[in-house]
Amino acid sequence: MDADVRGMPLWPLLEQIARQAGWNVFVEPDTTRAASAKFKDLPSGEALKRLLGDLNFALVPQSNALPHLYVFRTTQKNATQPVPPPRTSPRYVPNELLVKLKPGADVDALAKSLGAKITGRNDNLGLYRLLFDKASATDSALGQLKNNSDVAEVDYNYVYDAPPPAQALPGASASPLSLTLNPPGDSGKVIVGLIDTPVQSLGSTLDKFLLKQVSVAGDTTMSASDPTHGTTMAYTILQAIAQQSPGGTSVQILPVDVYGSGANATTWNVALGIQQAVDAGATVLNLSLAGPNDSPMLANLLQQAVKAGIPVYAAAGNQPVTAPMYPAADSGVISVTALQQPGQLAPYANFGLWIQLALPGGSVVVFNGQAWGVQGTSVATAYATGIFAGVRSGTSAGWQQIVAAMQRQWTVPGR
């Protein structure tokens, strides 16, 4: 552990420890201290002694969960007050708001009255991007729009960070996946809407499973040698399908690029991507992305998809904290965390009562004859989506029955 603190009060200190170490921290009520310490690369026990001074502490390992740190003046059993990690500050596109209007409302007149410029519009959804000239005007408009009877919803345009890249595995086997595309059965065609970065060619055999890519984020420049995150997710979904359907499958993947050439996606792009996937016939959605901010527009859009019989699988995040991450924590969405091995959460994976499934968080992908490794709750989500799609394509069972069976099989450790 490293630290450089001067007179830091105990509570924010413990919040930072909870966030950075990923521990569950409990403190004895009414305990106070101001910490001053500077050090680098100390073992956790020695670091805690320096930071906590004359306070007592116990770092207790847990089965199938992260360690518990107890901080107390008297006895460990009195350390009962949980210390949540500090919530990540909201990240959104500067000076921009997303507005969903009620039917019949005039967005042009509304934007003019606010002094805003319309930089994006989807009249079918009634969803619009408004750009303001400065932060104070944005915040003022937010307050006005929340009280406007023509406005159904208004919020910032939140940012989703780019997912981590795959890592080359020079010594690993690079045998490509073998899978046959079959005609759809009586239960109808299953199409996975993959809301992600762009998907590259998987080779002539597997490209049969990829429908024409949709992009809502403009033109994309991709490396020809390294697989994108979307490519690794598509391959992982097909791996899971192959495990369920060794004789072949009729499932196909509809890639929807919501990142483009940018480092991040936004609520606007993700919302448009979801709608485009649904309009193009997706019967299950995979969202291997996560952020700390709950967008009511995105939540309502996903609820509409679920009500239409389209299950949504979303990644729980890799932080590892109990704080809800979105859209995984939205109502109706199937949230997925990652296992390191059977019955054990991956050390990077988010956890908490809001999470519904836990699946393997590692995948080996073959791209251009080279093996690549990828890990995270995004991988676990792709596995979950692939399992669902593989089962759904070969049975007449309703999607709720399949989801319920998966929840019984892929339980979150400690439940």
Side-chain angles (χ1 to χ4, degrees), residues 103-295:
D106 186 343
V107 66
D108 297 290
L110 180 66
K112 184 177 181 180
S113 70
L114 296 169
K117 180 180 178 181
I118 302 172
T119 57
R121 61 191 303 154
N122 186 300
D123 294 322
N124 291 334
L125 291 177
L127 186 61
Y128 306 94
R129 292 172 64 183
L130 300 185
L131 179 65
F132 299 83
D133 59 359
K134 54 186 178 181
S136 58
T138 309
D139 294 339
S140 175
L142 179 64
Q144 294 179 54
L145 290 168
K146 285 183 176 180
N147 295 312
N148 190 312
S149 59
D150 287 335
V151 175
E153 294 156 352
V154 59
D155 207 343
Y156 296 107
N157 190 13
Y158 294 114
V159 171
Y160 296 89
D161 289 331
Q167 301 296 318
L169 304 174
S173 172
S175 299
L177 177 65
S178 178
L179 192 61
T180 302
L181 181 62
N182 294 336
D186 295 336
S187 59
K189 194 164 189 177
V190 177
I191 297 175
V192 177
L194 177 58
I195 316 297
D196 213 291
T197 66
V199 174
Q200 299 145 302
S201 170
L202 298 175
S204 58
T205 300
L206 296 184
D207 280 351
K208 297 175 184 177
F209 295 91
L210 301 179
L211 299 173
K212 184 178 180 181
Q213 184 157 258
V214 174
S215 178
V216 299
D219 295 334
T220 300
T221 301
M222 295 179 288
S223 166
S225 58
D226 298 355
T228 65
H229 187 266
T231 300
T232 62
M233 293 302 100
Y235 194 97
T236 302
I237 289 170
L238 292 175
Q239 283 180 318
I241 292 172
Q243 293 170 8
Q244 300 299 315
S245 311
T249 182
S250 63
V251 179
Q252 290 183 286
I253 297 173
L254 172 65
V256 181
D257 172 22
V258 298
Y259 283 86
S261 296
N264 305 302
T266 64
T267 305
W268 170 261
N269 286 346
V270 174
L272 295 187
I274 290 168
Q275 190 61 46
Q276 293 234 20
V278 171
D279 290 345
T283 58
V284 54
L285 299 180
N286 184 99
L287 289 155
S288 288
L289 50 82
N293 306 114
D294 186 14
S295 164

